[in-house]
Amino acid sequence: MRSLAVASPLPPAAAAVAARRRPRAASSFGREVGSQCWKYDLGQDRSLGGSLRPVSRKFAQTTFDKFAQTSSAISVEQDEVNTYLPKGDMWSVHKFGGTCMGTPQRIQSVADIVLGDSSERKLVIVSAMSKVTDMMYNLVHKAQSRDDSYTISLEEIFEKHMAAAKDLLDGEDLARFLSQLHSDVSNLRAMLRAIYIAGHATESFSDFVVGHGELWSAQMLSYAIKKSGAPCSWMDTREVLVVKPSGSNQVDPDYLESEKRLKKWFSRQPADIVVATGFIATTAENIPTTLKRDGSDFSAAIIGSLVRARQVTIWTDVDGVFSADPRKVSEAVILSTLSYQEAWEMSYFGANVLHPRTIIPVMKDNIPIVIRNMFNISAPGTMICRQPTNDNGDLDACVKSFATIDNLALVNVEGTGMAGVPGTSSAIFSAVKDVGANVIMISQASSEHSICFAVPEQEVAAVSAALHVRFREALAAGRLSKVEVINGCSILAAVGLRMASTPGVSAILFDALAKANINVRAIAQGCSEYNITVVLKQEDCVRALRAVHSRFFLSKTTLAVGIIGPGLIGGTLLNQLKDQASVLKENMNIDLRVIGITGSSRMLLSDTGIDLTQWKELLRKEGEPADLANFVRHLSDNHVFPNKVLVDCTADTSVASHYYDWLKKGIHVITPNKKANSGPLDRYLKLRTLQRASYTHYFYEATVGAGLPIISTLRGLLETGDKILRIEGIFSGTLSYIFNNFEGTKTFSNVVAEAKEAGYTEPDPRDDLSGTDVARKVIILARESGLRLELSNIPVKSLVPEALASCSSADEFMQKLPSFDEDWAKQRSEAEAAGEVLRYVGVVDAVNKEGQVELRRYKKDHPFAQLSGSDNIIAFTTSRYKEQPLIVRGPGAGAEVTAGGVFCDILRLASYLGAPS
Ligand SMILES: NC(=O)C1=CN([C@@H]2O[C@H](COP(=O)(O)OP(=O)(O)OC[C@H]3O[C@@H](n4cnc5c(N)ncnc54)[C@H](O)[C@@H]3O)[C@@H](O)[C@H]2O)C=CC1
Ligand SMILES: N[C@@H](CC=O)C(=O)O
Ligand code: NA
């Protein structure tokens, strides 16, 4: 809270006025006004939240006493002893915009809010009723375009205000207002007629006409407050607020002259509640003018400064200032405090906070501005004040918000002739100034070989032309190599006062961008570090915003998921995601959204996330014909989610052939499908090279041993410097199940059917029986270990009878398989007779750089003979695990374990993207 400045004794007349007021002030929390008794108790008034009641009753009284006995902060000249400008902490300034003043009911609510503020004195700045300013400008436009309908428009404006007044007021006040309205409208009619005849309106004519919206709304509100029992005056700010034009359609307040006039005004009407017109002002020559864009906020700030208000409250229709545009970031939060500089930066970067001009008048006196929602007065709002002290030391306290500006172009002026040549940047920017373009951001590396800057896209052609003219000779001589324009850019700015003193902020920012695969074109940060600005492609902007916002504010990792192949594994995965999603969100801050599911015939798309409790039904009923290209486009075109992953749950080679393109697009890939990693070596190497060089991830743990940690174990060994000598094991869940259960009681074909039924087999069980599936796993592990092997390098012993290899379908194969049961029974009995069991094993021989896949016989006490169910067992013999191999064993096939392995990869990805571990 500001303390009252004490400078010189109060002039006698002012002291007399103050003394006269003291008894009233002392009883102002329960005083008689006319016949009505209105009582405000600071302690009891909960309706207005904290920020409206920053002074205690005792403080208010002490302040008032100090004021009465001493002086004001601004010295009062002797010749003004008869003027009275009460100031000090008892003034509270409120500003209500057009939306707040939109209807008679709203004007009444405004009156209630004003009356509910227990401050000593209140100055209320109002805008015109909503849309009225536009209607007024339109009137002028019509009149000067000689469009007769201006008379009808004027009538509409008249009707609107008359109806509102009739709704709101009655008796003498209504009559007084209507008579003023009549008289104003007939003056306006005459004036517009003159404009019509002249076919032209000067700026001051136009400003005079337009300002009537505020004149009427201020009067209506002041009568409404009066009607509720509180004495209230209204102020035409053209009598007090003096401004001078400052170019670029802006004005500068003349504080000294305004203060003099304000004192005079108060000497005539020393009121406790004053409703003043926003937006309008006067020049020193008494010509009506306006404060231009966002004028009413500016009025409130200037007047707040003139009366040294304890607080300026800007009432609007949002709960406060958001950490990012809530239309783009649904998780944006309301900030409780902001420093002036932060608010300033944010408004510059397009956050709809306050116009930077609005902050200057209050900033010099450290007067807090509070943004509050008049439609939700229980929300405390956002306080903009001197460096807030209640920061909690978190990252969200050092980065306050993120803002963006779209439709920019980047201009890059480059050449060796720029380095060390004084005046180059001056020449560049003077050329830019000559075409009137607005430079939004500048960046120059210290090598001085290039300067790049951002301008609005619609100004870039003129800028580029001007630079080409200005640097014609330098370009011709090769001193400058190019003047390059990059269209379609946006700026993303992180704003926060404490970024300067917090190490690592930019690292986190850029890490979040990199992980969302967003390319940064240019960077700027001043040493004040109120903001870090990056230029990126406009199409990436919302995604970038969400990525950085979630990183700083929510630590939430949002991942958009596309599932390809909702068969056994894909379907089980969807169900697991459904069951676990809320736990992940709550406990791990991971927000997984499945935004697409595609099978081979139908696909289901959603922009925000499919309801997984009924995905099957939705896919059937609301799905559209499947189209993989469109499916991928749906994912990559979604600019809302920062991170995207495609999960390929098919066994399809053609789906796998797209991984490279997807990774290139920045889409992560996760799969249990072995086709990509066991396909042609050159393709595999290309894929891995791309993935290693980018921030996109490719995980495939379930391709070997399903959910068992095989790939991750192998990687762990390799990455920590262990040397793989041999990997040997039973890699097929199907074949393991078959030989574990083919014990003489069931036929071979029966056991195969059971494995298929249990979900262990490939979509076509011949892939298992042929040994191809095992060979693929051997290849995957061999390549992971650094061997450059092709599938064709692995000799495979197929268990598929030759006669059935050419069956046209898996079903046909299964039907014909029983005719070979006898052969199998024979093989089994032979092994049994020798005290052995049949096992189908795969080997990666890293020493001899080869792989093998064989049906072998093992003694019954061998570890490979001890398995049950669909168990896999994999033994890693390495430099470290030489005497005793490292063994991983457990079910290596089946829907739940495999989907669980894929799910694990999704969480691994989330953790790589920044989710907590
Ligand atoms: N079943 C298991 O225990 C394990 C399976 N896997 C792998 O999981 C993958 C899936 O296996 P399952 O779910 O058992 O097979 P599945 O046949 O039940 O499911 C595959 C699904 O993919 C769909 N599909 C096929 N081609 C498609 C395309 N081009 N576009 C869109 N959808 C397409 C099919 O319509 C089917 O819905 C396979 O690659 C398999 O090798 C990996 C480890 C263990
Ligand atoms: N069909 C495969 C499934 C796992 O990859 C198997 O049986 O192991
Ligand atoms: Na695995």
Side-chain angles (χ1 to χ4, degrees), residues 564-565 567-569 599-600 649-652 655 672-674 702 759 762-763 893-894 898:
I564 307 172
L568 181 67
I569 305 301
S600 35
C649 295
T650 72
D652 195 354
V655 173
N673 180 357
K674 297 151 207 131
E762 292 303 292
T898 307

Side-chain angles (χ1 to χ4, degrees), residues 700-712 901:
Y700 42 83
E701 177 59 87
T703 55
V704 183
L708 296 179
I710 307 297
I711 306 282
S712 51

Side-chain angles (χ1 to χ4, degrees), residues 822-894:
E822 263 178 39
D823 295 352
W824 279 106
K826 204 166 145 225
Q827 276 201 56
R828 195 200 70 81
S829 322
E830 280 171 16
E832 170 113 18
E836 289 172 344
V837 293
L838 294 170
R839 291 294 181 258
Y840 203 87
V841 295
V843 177
V844 175
D845 181 346
V847 177
N848 296 308
K849 298 187 172 36
E850 59 183 35
Q852 298 136 20
V853 172
E854 288 169 357
L855 182 66
R856 290 187 186 160
R857 283 168 42 169
Y858 286 90
K859 289 284 173 209
K860 282 191 170 163
D861 58 353
H862 190 276
F864 285 10
Q866 314 292 314
L867 306 180
S868 61
S870 69
D871 275 1
N872 279 191
I873 183 164
I874 291 100
F876 295 92
T877 307
T878 72
S879 300
R880 290 178 195 151
Y881 295 93
K882 210 168 182 172
E883 303 307 320
Q884 286 286 359
L886 187 162
I887 290 179
V888 180
R889 175 190 157 171

Side-chain angles (χ1 to χ4, degrees), residues 325 327-331 404 406 488 490 492 513 516-519 536-548 558 560 593 595 606-608 632-644 665-667:
D325 184 342
R327 289 164 303 184
K328 294 175 179 164
V329 182
S330 57
E331 299 90 352
T404 55
D406 285 335
S490 289
L492 167 71
L513 291 173
N517 197 43
I518 285 156
N519 191 26
L536 25 86
K537 274 197 279 178
Q538 183 155 329
E539 66 207 60
D540 288 340
C541 193
V542 175
R543 211 157 53 79
L545 186 63
R546 290 180 63 103
V548 293
T558 313
R593 308 274 184 95
I595 65 165
S606 155
D607 285 333
T608 50
V632 174
R633 202 168 305 122
H634 165 73
L635 208 75
S636 67
D637 283 357
N638 184 311
H639 294 305
V640 176
F641 295 104
N643 307 299
K644 296 141 188 202
K665 282 186 172 49
I667 302 175

Side-chain angles (χ1 to χ4, degrees), residues 74-77 79-80 82-85 87 239-242 254-268 306:
I74 294 175
S75 62
V76 180
E77 290 164 23
D79 62 348
E80 291 166 43
N82 290 324
T83 63
Y84 170 61
L85 173 53
K87 51 177 153 306
E239 290 172 31
V240 296
L241 214 54
V242 183
D254 181 339
Y255 286 99
L256 272 183
E257 182 56 29
S258 301
E259 194 174 332
K260 274 188 198 161
R261 295 193 185 195
L262 192 58
K263 282 173 191 164
K264 262 187 200 127
W265 192 94
F266 273 110
S267 70
R268 293 197 305 271
L306 290 174

